[in-house]
Each structure stands twice: as C-alpha cells, then as structure tokens.
Short mmCIF file of all heavy atoms in Angstrom, two decimals:
data_model
loop_
_atom_site.label_atom_id
_atom_site.label_comp_id
_atom_site.label_asym_id
_atom_site.label_seq_id
_atom_site.Cartn_x
_atom_site.Cartn_y
_atom_site.Cartn_z
N MET A 1 86.09 24.53 -28.40
CA MET A 1 86.93 24.48 -27.24
C MET A 1 87.32 23.03 -26.98
O MET A 1 86.53 22.12 -27.17
CB MET A 1 86.15 25.04 -26.06
CG MET A 1 87.01 25.55 -24.97
SD MET A 1 85.95 26.46 -23.80
CE MET A 1 87.19 27.39 -23.04
N ASP A 2 88.53 22.83 -26.52
CA ASP A 2 89.01 21.48 -26.25
C ASP A 2 88.43 20.94 -24.95
O ASP A 2 88.24 21.67 -23.98
CB ASP A 2 90.54 21.46 -26.15
CG ASP A 2 91.18 21.70 -27.50
OD1 ASP A 2 90.52 21.43 -28.51
OD2 ASP A 2 92.33 22.16 -27.53
N ALA A 3 88.20 19.64 -24.93
CA ALA A 3 87.72 18.98 -23.72
C ALA A 3 88.88 18.85 -22.73
O ALA A 3 90.04 18.81 -23.12
CB ALA A 3 87.18 17.60 -24.08
N PRO A 4 88.59 18.78 -21.43
CA PRO A 4 89.65 18.61 -20.45
C PRO A 4 90.38 17.29 -20.66
O PRO A 4 89.78 16.29 -21.06
CB PRO A 4 88.95 18.63 -19.11
CG PRO A 4 87.51 18.77 -19.37
CD PRO A 4 87.28 18.91 -20.83
N LEU A 5 91.68 17.28 -20.40
CA LEU A 5 92.48 16.09 -20.66
C LEU A 5 92.29 15.00 -19.62
O LEU A 5 92.38 13.82 -19.93
CB LEU A 5 93.97 16.47 -20.70
CG LEU A 5 94.46 17.05 -22.01
CD1 LEU A 5 95.90 17.47 -21.88
CD2 LEU A 5 94.28 16.07 -23.13
N PHE A 6 92.04 15.35 -18.35
CA PHE A 6 92.03 14.33 -17.31
C PHE A 6 91.00 13.23 -17.52
O PHE A 6 91.34 12.06 -17.42
CB PHE A 6 91.89 14.94 -15.92
CG PHE A 6 91.92 13.91 -14.83
CD1 PHE A 6 93.10 13.28 -14.50
CD2 PHE A 6 90.76 13.51 -14.20
CE1 PHE A 6 93.14 12.30 -13.53
CE2 PHE A 6 90.78 12.53 -13.23
CZ PHE A 6 91.98 11.92 -12.88
N PRO A 7 89.72 13.54 -17.81
CA PRO A 7 88.76 12.43 -18.02
C PRO A 7 89.16 11.52 -19.17
O PRO A 7 88.99 10.30 -19.09
CB PRO A 7 87.45 13.13 -18.30
CG PRO A 7 87.58 14.47 -17.69
CD PRO A 7 89.03 14.83 -17.84
N GLY A 8 89.71 12.09 -20.23
CA GLY A 8 90.17 11.26 -21.36
C GLY A 8 91.33 10.38 -20.97
O GLY A 8 91.38 9.20 -21.33
N ARG A 9 92.26 10.93 -20.22
CA ARG A 9 93.41 10.13 -19.77
C ARG A 9 92.98 9.04 -18.80
O ARG A 9 93.46 7.92 -18.86
CB ARG A 9 94.46 11.02 -19.10
CG ARG A 9 95.26 11.84 -20.07
CD ARG A 9 96.40 12.52 -19.35
NE ARG A 9 97.06 13.47 -20.22
CZ ARG A 9 98.06 13.16 -21.02
NH1 ARG A 9 98.51 11.94 -21.05
NH2 ARG A 9 98.62 14.07 -21.79
N ALA A 10 92.07 9.37 -17.89
CA ALA A 10 91.60 8.39 -16.91
C ALA A 10 90.86 7.24 -17.61
O ALA A 10 91.06 6.07 -17.29
CB ALA A 10 90.70 9.06 -15.88
N THR A 11 90.03 7.58 -18.58
CA THR A 11 89.31 6.55 -19.32
C THR A 11 90.26 5.67 -20.13
O THR A 11 90.13 4.45 -20.14
CB THR A 11 88.27 7.20 -20.26
OG1 THR A 11 87.39 8.00 -19.48
CG2 THR A 11 87.48 6.16 -21.02
N ALA A 12 91.24 6.31 -20.78
CA ALA A 12 92.21 5.55 -21.56
C ALA A 12 93.06 4.66 -20.66
O ALA A 12 93.38 3.52 -21.02
CB ALA A 12 93.10 6.49 -22.36
N ALA A 13 93.40 5.15 -19.47
CA ALA A 13 94.17 4.34 -18.53
C ALA A 13 93.35 3.15 -18.05
O ALA A 13 93.87 2.03 -17.92
CB ALA A 13 94.62 5.19 -17.34
N LEU A 14 92.07 3.37 -17.79
CA LEU A 14 91.20 2.27 -17.35
C LEU A 14 91.06 1.21 -18.44
O LEU A 14 91.15 0.01 -18.18
CB LEU A 14 89.82 2.81 -16.96
CG LEU A 14 88.80 1.77 -16.53
CD1 LEU A 14 89.26 1.11 -15.23
CD2 LEU A 14 87.44 2.39 -16.36
N VAL A 15 90.85 1.65 -19.67
CA VAL A 15 90.74 0.71 -20.78
C VAL A 15 92.05 -0.05 -20.98
O VAL A 15 92.06 -1.27 -21.17
CB VAL A 15 90.32 1.44 -22.07
CG1 VAL A 15 90.43 0.54 -23.29
CG2 VAL A 15 88.90 1.96 -21.93
N GLY A 16 93.16 0.66 -20.91
CA GLY A 16 94.47 0.00 -21.03
C GLY A 16 94.69 -1.01 -19.92
O GLY A 16 95.23 -2.09 -20.15
N MET A 17 94.27 -0.67 -18.71
CA MET A 17 94.41 -1.60 -17.59
C MET A 17 93.57 -2.85 -17.80
O MET A 17 94.02 -3.97 -17.55
CB MET A 17 94.01 -0.91 -16.29
CG MET A 17 94.20 -1.77 -15.06
SD MET A 17 93.74 -0.92 -13.56
CE MET A 17 91.97 -0.79 -13.76
N LEU A 18 92.35 -2.67 -18.29
CA LEU A 18 91.48 -3.83 -18.53
C LEU A 18 92.03 -4.73 -19.64
O LEU A 18 91.99 -5.96 -19.53
CB LEU A 18 90.07 -3.36 -18.87
CG LEU A 18 89.31 -2.71 -17.73
CD1 LEU A 18 87.98 -2.15 -18.23
CD2 LEU A 18 89.09 -3.68 -16.59
N VAL A 19 92.55 -4.12 -20.69
CA VAL A 19 93.14 -4.90 -21.78
C VAL A 19 94.38 -5.64 -21.28
O VAL A 19 94.60 -6.81 -21.59
CB VAL A 19 93.47 -3.99 -22.99
CG1 VAL A 19 94.30 -4.73 -24.02
CG2 VAL A 19 92.19 -3.48 -23.61
N GLY A 20 95.21 -4.95 -20.49
CA GLY A 20 96.39 -5.60 -19.93
C GLY A 20 96.04 -6.75 -19.00
O GLY A 20 96.67 -7.80 -19.01
N ALA A 21 95.02 -6.54 -18.17
CA ALA A 21 94.58 -7.61 -17.27
C ALA A 21 94.04 -8.80 -18.05
O ALA A 21 94.29 -9.96 -17.69
CB ALA A 21 93.53 -7.09 -16.30
N ALA A 22 93.33 -8.54 -19.14
CA ALA A 22 92.83 -9.63 -19.97
C ALA A 22 93.98 -10.41 -20.60
O ALA A 22 93.95 -11.65 -20.65
CB ALA A 22 91.90 -9.08 -21.05
N ALA A 23 95.01 -9.69 -21.05
CA ALA A 23 96.19 -10.37 -21.60
C ALA A 23 96.87 -11.19 -20.52
O ALA A 23 97.33 -12.31 -20.78
CB ALA A 23 97.15 -9.34 -22.19
N GLY A 24 96.94 -10.66 -19.31
CA GLY A 24 97.54 -11.41 -18.20
C GLY A 24 96.74 -12.65 -17.85
O GLY A 24 97.31 -13.70 -17.55
N ILE A 25 95.43 -12.55 -17.88
CA ILE A 25 94.59 -13.72 -17.60
C ILE A 25 94.81 -14.80 -18.66
O ILE A 25 94.88 -15.99 -18.34
CB ILE A 25 93.11 -13.30 -17.50
CG1 ILE A 25 92.90 -12.49 -16.24
CG2 ILE A 25 92.19 -14.52 -17.54
CD1 ILE A 25 91.55 -11.82 -16.14
N LEU A 26 94.93 -14.38 -19.92
CA LEU A 26 95.24 -15.36 -20.97
C LEU A 26 96.60 -16.01 -20.74
O LEU A 26 96.76 -17.21 -20.96
CB LEU A 26 95.20 -14.69 -22.34
CG LEU A 26 93.82 -14.31 -22.85
CD1 LEU A 26 93.94 -13.55 -24.17
CD2 LEU A 26 92.96 -15.54 -23.04
N LEU A 27 97.57 -15.22 -20.29
CA LEU A 27 98.89 -15.76 -19.99
C LEU A 27 98.83 -16.77 -18.86
O LEU A 27 99.44 -17.85 -18.95
CB LEU A 27 99.84 -14.62 -19.63
CG LEU A 27 101.28 -14.99 -19.30
CD1 LEU A 27 101.96 -15.61 -20.51
CD2 LEU A 27 102.04 -13.78 -18.82
N VAL A 28 98.10 -16.46 -17.80
CA VAL A 28 97.96 -17.39 -16.68
C VAL A 28 97.22 -18.65 -17.12
O VAL A 28 97.57 -19.76 -16.73
CB VAL A 28 97.23 -16.71 -15.49
CG1 VAL A 28 96.84 -17.72 -14.43
CG2 VAL A 28 98.12 -15.64 -14.89
N SER A 29 96.20 -18.49 -17.96
CA SER A 29 95.46 -19.66 -18.45
C SER A 29 96.35 -20.55 -19.29
O SER A 29 96.31 -21.79 -19.17
CB SER A 29 94.26 -19.21 -19.28
OG SER A 29 93.37 -18.46 -18.49
N ALA A 30 97.16 -19.95 -20.15
CA ALA A 30 98.07 -20.75 -20.97
C ALA A 30 99.12 -21.44 -20.11
O ALA A 30 99.44 -22.62 -20.34
CB ALA A 30 98.76 -19.85 -22.00
N ALA A 31 99.64 -20.75 -19.11
CA ALA A 31 100.63 -21.37 -18.22
C ALA A 31 99.99 -22.48 -17.41
O ALA A 31 100.61 -23.52 -17.17
CB ALA A 31 101.23 -20.32 -17.30
N GLY A 32 98.74 -22.28 -17.00
CA GLY A 32 98.04 -23.33 -16.25
C GLY A 32 97.76 -24.55 -17.10
O GLY A 32 97.74 -25.67 -16.61
N ALA A 33 97.54 -24.35 -18.40
CA ALA A 33 97.29 -25.48 -19.29
C ALA A 33 98.56 -26.27 -19.55
O ALA A 33 98.51 -27.47 -19.78
CB ALA A 33 96.71 -24.98 -20.61
N LEU A 34 99.71 -25.58 -19.50
CA LEU A 34 100.98 -26.25 -19.77
C LEU A 34 101.65 -26.80 -18.52
O LEU A 34 102.47 -27.71 -18.60
CB LEU A 34 101.95 -25.29 -20.47
CG LEU A 34 101.49 -24.79 -21.84
CD1 LEU A 34 102.47 -23.75 -22.36
CD2 LEU A 34 101.36 -25.94 -22.82
N ALA A 35 101.32 -26.26 -17.35
CA ALA A 35 101.96 -26.69 -16.11
C ALA A 35 100.94 -27.39 -15.22
O ALA A 35 99.74 -27.27 -15.40
CB ALA A 35 102.54 -25.48 -15.38
N VAL A 36 101.46 -28.09 -14.21
CA VAL A 36 100.58 -28.77 -13.27
C VAL A 36 99.92 -27.75 -12.33
O VAL A 36 98.73 -27.81 -12.07
CB VAL A 36 101.38 -29.81 -12.45
CG1 VAL A 36 100.51 -30.46 -11.40
CG2 VAL A 36 101.97 -30.85 -13.39
N ALA A 37 100.70 -26.79 -11.83
CA ALA A 37 100.16 -25.78 -10.92
C ALA A 37 100.77 -24.42 -11.25
O ALA A 37 101.93 -24.32 -11.63
CB ALA A 37 100.47 -26.15 -9.48
N VAL A 38 99.97 -23.39 -11.09
CA VAL A 38 100.44 -22.02 -11.28
C VAL A 38 100.56 -21.39 -9.90
O VAL A 38 99.60 -21.37 -9.14
CB VAL A 38 99.47 -21.21 -12.16
CG1 VAL A 38 99.90 -19.76 -12.26
CG2 VAL A 38 99.37 -21.84 -13.54
N ASP A 39 101.76 -20.90 -9.59
CA ASP A 39 102.02 -20.27 -8.30
C ASP A 39 101.23 -18.97 -8.20
O ASP A 39 101.03 -18.27 -9.19
CB ASP A 39 103.52 -20.00 -8.19
CG ASP A 39 103.92 -19.54 -6.80
OD1 ASP A 39 103.10 -19.66 -5.88
OD2 ASP A 39 105.07 -19.08 -6.65
N GLY A 40 100.79 -18.62 -7.01
CA GLY A 40 100.02 -17.39 -6.80
C GLY A 40 100.81 -16.14 -7.13
O GLY A 40 100.27 -15.17 -7.66
N VAL A 41 102.12 -16.15 -6.84
CA VAL A 41 102.97 -15.00 -7.14
C VAL A 41 103.07 -14.82 -8.65
O VAL A 41 102.98 -13.70 -9.17
CB VAL A 41 104.36 -15.17 -6.51
CG1 VAL A 41 105.29 -14.04 -6.92
CG2 VAL A 41 104.25 -15.23 -5.00
N PHE A 42 103.23 -15.92 -9.37
CA PHE A 42 103.28 -15.85 -10.83
C PHE A 42 101.97 -15.32 -11.39
O PHE A 42 101.97 -14.48 -12.28
CB PHE A 42 103.58 -17.23 -11.43
CG PHE A 42 103.49 -17.25 -12.93
CD1 PHE A 42 104.50 -16.71 -13.71
CD2 PHE A 42 102.38 -17.79 -13.57
CE1 PHE A 42 104.41 -16.71 -15.10
CE2 PHE A 42 102.28 -17.80 -14.95
CZ PHE A 42 103.30 -17.25 -15.71
N ALA A 43 100.86 -15.79 -10.86
CA ALA A 43 99.55 -15.33 -11.33
C ALA A 43 99.37 -13.84 -11.06
O ALA A 43 98.89 -13.10 -11.92
CB ALA A 43 98.44 -16.13 -10.67
N LEU A 44 99.80 -13.38 -9.88
CA LEU A 44 99.68 -11.97 -9.56
C LEU A 44 100.54 -11.11 -10.48
O LEU A 44 100.09 -10.09 -10.98
CB LEU A 44 100.08 -11.74 -8.10
CG LEU A 44 99.99 -10.30 -7.60
CD1 LEU A 44 98.53 -9.87 -7.56
CD2 LEU A 44 100.60 -10.19 -6.22
N LEU A 45 101.77 -11.54 -10.72
CA LEU A 45 102.66 -10.79 -11.62
C LEU A 45 102.16 -10.84 -13.06
O LEU A 45 102.24 -9.85 -13.78
CB LEU A 45 104.08 -11.34 -11.54
CG LEU A 45 104.87 -10.97 -10.29
CD1 LEU A 45 106.20 -11.69 -10.28
CD2 LEU A 45 105.07 -9.48 -10.21
N ALA A 46 101.67 -11.99 -13.48
CA ALA A 46 101.24 -12.15 -14.87
C ALA A 46 99.99 -11.34 -15.17
O ALA A 46 99.76 -10.95 -16.31
CB ALA A 46 100.99 -13.62 -15.19
N ILE A 47 99.18 -11.06 -14.16
CA ILE A 47 97.99 -10.23 -14.38
C ILE A 47 98.28 -8.77 -14.05
O ILE A 47 97.88 -7.86 -14.78
CB ILE A 47 96.79 -10.74 -13.55
CG1 ILE A 47 96.38 -12.13 -14.05
CG2 ILE A 47 95.61 -9.79 -13.62
CD1 ILE A 47 95.35 -12.82 -13.20
N GLY A 48 99.03 -8.53 -12.99
CA GLY A 48 99.30 -7.17 -12.54
C GLY A 48 100.23 -6.38 -13.44
O GLY A 48 100.02 -5.19 -13.68
N LEU A 49 101.28 -7.03 -13.93
CA LEU A 49 102.25 -6.33 -14.77
C LEU A 49 101.66 -5.85 -16.10
O LEU A 49 101.82 -4.68 -16.44
CB LEU A 49 103.47 -7.23 -15.01
CG LEU A 49 104.83 -6.57 -14.99
CD1 LEU A 49 105.02 -5.71 -13.78
CD2 LEU A 49 105.90 -7.63 -15.06
N PRO A 50 100.96 -6.71 -16.85
CA PRO A 50 100.33 -6.20 -18.08
C PRO A 50 99.26 -5.14 -17.80
O PRO A 50 99.09 -4.20 -18.57
CB PRO A 50 99.70 -7.43 -18.73
CG PRO A 50 100.44 -8.57 -18.17
CD PRO A 50 100.84 -8.17 -16.78
N ALA A 51 98.55 -5.27 -16.67
CA ALA A 51 97.55 -4.26 -16.32
C ALA A 51 98.21 -2.92 -16.04
O ALA A 51 97.73 -1.86 -16.48
CB ALA A 51 96.73 -4.71 -15.11
N LEU A 52 99.33 -2.94 -15.33
CA LEU A 52 100.06 -1.70 -15.04
C LEU A 52 100.63 -1.08 -16.32
O LEU A 52 100.53 0.13 -16.53
CB LEU A 52 101.19 -1.99 -14.04
CG LEU A 52 102.03 -0.79 -13.63
CD1 LEU A 52 101.18 0.21 -12.87
CD2 LEU A 52 103.19 -1.26 -12.78
N CYS A 53 101.19 -1.91 -17.17
CA CYS A 53 101.72 -1.42 -18.46
C CYS A 53 100.59 -0.85 -19.33
O CYS A 53 100.75 0.20 -19.95
CB CYS A 53 102.45 -2.52 -19.20
SG CYS A 53 103.97 -3.02 -18.38
N GLY A 54 99.47 -1.54 -19.36
CA GLY A 54 98.33 -1.05 -20.15
C GLY A 54 97.80 0.26 -19.62
O GLY A 54 97.45 1.16 -20.39
N ALA A 55 97.76 0.42 -18.30
CA ALA A 55 97.31 1.68 -17.72
C ALA A 55 98.28 2.80 -18.04
O ALA A 55 97.88 3.93 -18.33
CB ALA A 55 97.14 1.53 -16.21
N SER A 56 99.58 2.51 -18.00
CA SER A 56 100.59 3.52 -18.33
C SER A 56 100.47 3.95 -19.78
O SER A 56 100.50 5.15 -20.08
CB SER A 56 101.99 2.97 -18.07
OG SER A 56 102.13 2.63 -16.72
N VAL A 57 100.35 2.99 -20.67
CA VAL A 57 100.22 3.32 -22.09
C VAL A 57 98.93 4.08 -22.33
O VAL A 57 98.90 5.07 -23.06
CB VAL A 57 100.28 2.04 -22.96
CG1 VAL A 57 99.86 2.32 -24.39
CG2 VAL A 57 101.67 1.46 -22.91
N GLY A 58 97.86 3.67 -21.71
CA GLY A 58 96.59 4.35 -21.87
C GLY A 58 96.62 5.78 -21.36
O GLY A 58 95.98 6.66 -21.92
N ALA A 59 97.37 6.01 -20.30
CA ALA A 59 97.44 7.36 -19.73
C ALA A 59 98.27 8.30 -20.59
O ALA A 59 98.02 9.50 -20.62
CB ALA A 59 98.02 7.30 -18.33
N PHE A 60 99.26 7.78 -21.29
CA PHE A 60 100.15 8.64 -22.05
C PHE A 60 99.84 8.70 -23.54
O PHE A 60 100.31 9.59 -24.23
CB PHE A 60 101.60 8.21 -21.85
CG PHE A 60 102.07 8.48 -20.45
CD1 PHE A 60 102.38 7.43 -19.61
CD2 PHE A 60 102.18 9.76 -19.98
CE1 PHE A 60 102.80 7.67 -18.31
CE2 PHE A 60 102.59 10.03 -18.69
CZ PHE A 60 102.90 8.97 -17.85
N VAL A 61 99.06 7.75 -24.05
CA VAL A 61 98.71 7.75 -25.47
C VAL A 61 97.20 7.92 -25.56
O VAL A 61 96.45 7.00 -25.32
CB VAL A 61 99.14 6.42 -26.14
CG1 VAL A 61 98.73 6.43 -27.60
CG2 VAL A 61 100.62 6.21 -25.99
N ILE A 62 96.79 9.12 -25.89
CA ILE A 62 95.36 9.41 -26.01
C ILE A 62 95.01 9.52 -27.48
O ILE A 62 95.71 10.17 -28.25
CB ILE A 62 95.02 10.74 -25.31
CG1 ILE A 62 95.33 10.63 -23.83
CG2 ILE A 62 93.56 11.07 -25.50
CD1 ILE A 62 95.07 11.91 -23.09
N ARG A 63 93.93 8.90 -27.87
CA ARG A 63 93.47 8.96 -29.25
C ARG A 63 93.14 10.41 -29.61
O ARG A 63 92.50 11.12 -28.86
CB ARG A 63 92.24 8.09 -29.40
CG ARG A 63 91.99 7.69 -30.82
CD ARG A 63 90.80 6.81 -30.89
NE ARG A 63 89.64 7.70 -30.92
CZ ARG A 63 88.43 7.33 -30.61
NH1 ARG A 63 88.19 6.12 -30.25
NH2 ARG A 63 87.43 8.19 -30.66
N GLY A 64 93.59 10.82 -30.77
CA GLY A 64 93.29 12.16 -31.22
C GLY A 64 94.36 13.19 -30.90
O GLY A 64 94.24 14.33 -31.25
N HIS A 65 95.39 12.78 -30.20
CA HIS A 65 96.47 13.70 -29.85
C HIS A 65 97.79 13.16 -30.39
O HIS A 65 98.71 12.84 -29.66
CB HIS A 65 96.57 13.87 -28.33
CG HIS A 65 95.38 14.55 -27.76
ND1 HIS A 65 95.09 15.87 -27.96
CD2 HIS A 65 94.38 14.08 -27.00
CE1 HIS A 65 93.98 16.19 -27.35
NE2 HIS A 65 93.51 15.12 -26.76
N SER A 66 97.87 13.03 -31.68
CA SER A 66 99.11 12.52 -32.29
C SER A 66 99.96 13.70 -32.76
O SER A 66 99.52 14.83 -32.83
CB SER A 66 98.80 11.58 -33.45
OG SER A 66 98.17 12.30 -34.45
N ARG A 67 101.18 13.41 -33.15
CA ARG A 67 102.09 14.46 -33.60
C ARG A 67 101.97 14.71 -35.10
O ARG A 67 102.55 15.64 -35.61
CB ARG A 67 103.53 14.08 -33.26
CG ARG A 67 103.78 14.07 -31.79
CD ARG A 67 105.21 13.71 -31.55
NE ARG A 67 105.43 13.60 -30.11
CZ ARG A 67 106.50 14.02 -29.51
NH1 ARG A 67 107.47 14.55 -30.19
NH2 ARG A 67 106.63 13.90 -28.21
N SER A 68 101.26 13.84 -35.79
CA SER A 68 101.16 14.02 -37.25
C SER A 68 100.26 15.22 -37.56
O SER A 68 99.33 15.54 -36.84
CB SER A 68 100.61 12.76 -37.90
OG SER A 68 99.32 12.52 -37.44
N ASN A 69 100.54 15.85 -38.66
CA ASN A 69 99.77 17.01 -39.10
C ASN A 69 99.11 16.66 -40.43
O ASN A 69 99.75 16.69 -41.48
CB ASN A 69 100.71 18.22 -39.25
CG ASN A 69 99.93 19.50 -39.40
OD1 ASN A 69 98.71 19.48 -39.46
ND2 ASN A 69 100.64 20.60 -39.44
N PRO A 70 97.79 16.35 -40.43
CA PRO A 70 97.13 15.85 -41.62
C PRO A 70 96.71 16.94 -42.62
O PRO A 70 95.71 16.77 -43.30
CB PRO A 70 95.93 15.12 -41.05
CG PRO A 70 95.59 15.85 -39.82
CD PRO A 70 96.90 16.32 -39.27
N ARG A 71 97.39 18.03 -42.70
CA ARG A 71 97.00 19.11 -43.63
C ARG A 71 97.26 18.75 -45.04
O ARG A 71 98.09 18.53 -45.67
CB ARG A 71 97.74 20.38 -43.28
CG ARG A 71 97.12 21.04 -42.10
CD ARG A 71 97.72 22.41 -41.97
NE ARG A 71 98.16 22.55 -40.60
CZ ARG A 71 98.82 23.59 -40.15
NH1 ARG A 71 99.15 24.55 -40.94
NH2 ARG A 71 99.15 23.69 -38.90
#
C-alpha cells in the first residue's frame, strides 16, 4: 500500500526551505563580503526568496514519484 502523500510533501517542502535558506545565507554573506553594509530588506529577500522557492520545489517534486517508467 502506498504511504500518504502529505507527510512526504511536508518533509520535502521543509528540506527545500532549509536548503533555500542556506543558499540565501551564502548569498548575504557574499554580498556582505563585497559591500560595506547589507541592507535589512536585501537580507530578508535574499534569504526568504530562495527559502520560498525551495519549499515550493520540495512540495511539488517528491522523490520516487517521477514520470519515467523503468520497466
């Protein structure tokens, strides 16, 4: 029997969000190293946007549910 989809989607969304946030933190760190000051709005967007994108991708792309047929 197949496992319910919601826990898998929620976990994948959480992992995607964490990966996106980590990418955003690296972006803010790189911008801070190149600039004198990093604006708070830029930091919020640079961390929030990749986190949101990662959560979206994680929610819609679940491992093990591809369209390929390996027969």
Side-chain angles (χ1 to χ4, degrees):
M1 204 170 200
D2 290 336
L5 279 176
F6 181 73
R9 285 189 189 271
T11 302
L14 178 65
V15 170
M17 183 179 68
L18 292 174
V19 170
I25 290 170
L26 288 175
L27 180 64
V28 169
S29 298
L34 297 175
V36 176
V38 175
D39 189 13
V41 175
F42 173 77
L44 181 67
L45 285 174
I47 294 172
L49 219 50
L52 180 65
C53 292
S56 299
V57 168
F60 292 113
V61 178
I62 298 177
R63 201 178 83 200
H65 294 290
S66 65
R67 292 181 185 219
S68 63
N69 192 356
R71 283 191 230 175

